[in-house]
Amino acid sequence: MGKYATAARVRSMALVAALLWGVSAPAQASGPAGGAAGASGGAAADAAGRQRAGCRAAFERDWRSYNRAFDGRDVGRLMGHYLPDASKVDPDGSYHQGRPAVEGLFRELFAMEFTSDFRELRRTVVECRTALMVVDSTLVFPQWGHTERFTSVLSFTYERGQWKVIANVSSPAATPAAAPTAG
């Protein structure tokens, strides 16, 4: 792994940690102090704005493709969205390192009968470097009468024109507490 790929992964994981703790990534300066950018500064800011918009559009494209692969139960296409050394943590805490391990997990899931519902809770795209997606997830397994609710946090990096999953971490959704009884 090259030093730039390593740096991108470190930045992505730092972003995940910052966002989970409620800290925002600092805004990038786009001109001289005081905001008085000259003509070339304005052109550079416009180009940077177009690049950020292009990165957000690429993220949207790749996120939709990821979801189409999941909904179509297409393990091969889904794994195309994961880096070779990506990690997956299941709601039960089991850890899967590397694309072959993650692929095995999804292959096993896709062999089952289930329905799924995913609701986006938060999306953060930081230029063409890192992105974070927080999703409220529900899987229903009718053959067992079982419903599994969990929150997934997916961390992405942008490599060679595509957004790739670095880590996909899921934790059980909190079960609503029973209403207190008068006593």
Side-chain angles (χ1 to χ4, degrees):
M1 177 180 346
K3 66 180 179 179
Y4 297 108
T6 300
R9 285 178 178 75
V10 169
R11 282 193 309 270
S12 294
M13 295 314 291
L15 175 65
V16 169
L19 290 172
L20 290 175
W21 287 98
V23 177
S24 297
Q28 298 293 322
S30 62
S40 64
D46 288 345
R50 284 190 302 278
Q51 181 184 23
R52 279 191 298 278
C55 292
R56 286 191 301 273
F59 184 82
E60 179 64 26
R61 174 201 69 213
D62 292 344
W63 178 243
R64 285 178 189 230
S65 177
Y66 179 98
N67 284 305
R68 282 192 303 272
F70 186 93
D71 291 343
R73 311 296 195 258
D74 186 335
V75 175
R77 266 192 356 181
L78 187 65
M79 288 303 97
H81 291 282
Y82 280 79
L83 289 171
D85 61 342
S87 300
K88 170 79 174 96
V89 179
D90 281 345
D92 67 5
S94 59
Y95 177 76
H96 311 272
Q97 176 66 48
R99 192 184 291 151
V102 175
E103 180 177 341
L105 173 75
F106 281 109
R107 192 170 300 287
E108 187 177 303
L109 174 65
F110 291 168
M112 297 179 208
E113 180 185 333
F114 70 95
T115 60
S116 57
D117 181 52
F118 301 105
R119 188 171 52 91
E120 183 177 317
L121 300 176
R122 181 176 183 142
R123 175 190 300 217
T124 303
V125 178
V126 180
E127 299 180 2
C128 279
R129 295 182 314 206
T130 60
L132 181 79
M133 183 67 82
V134 182
V135 181
D136 179 41
S137 308
T138 303
L139 300 180
V140 178
F141 300 90
Q143 65 196 43
W144 299 306
H146 176 72
T147 299
E148 186 172 359
R149 288 204 58 235
F150 53 97
T151 301
S152 294
V153 179
L154 292 92
S155 176
F156 295 81
T157 191
Y158 194 66
E159 289 190 359
R160 297 183 194 101
Q162 291 187 318
W163 288 97
K164 300 284 188 173
V165 176
I166 298 170
N168 180 345
V169 180
S170 300
S171 63
T175 304
T181 58

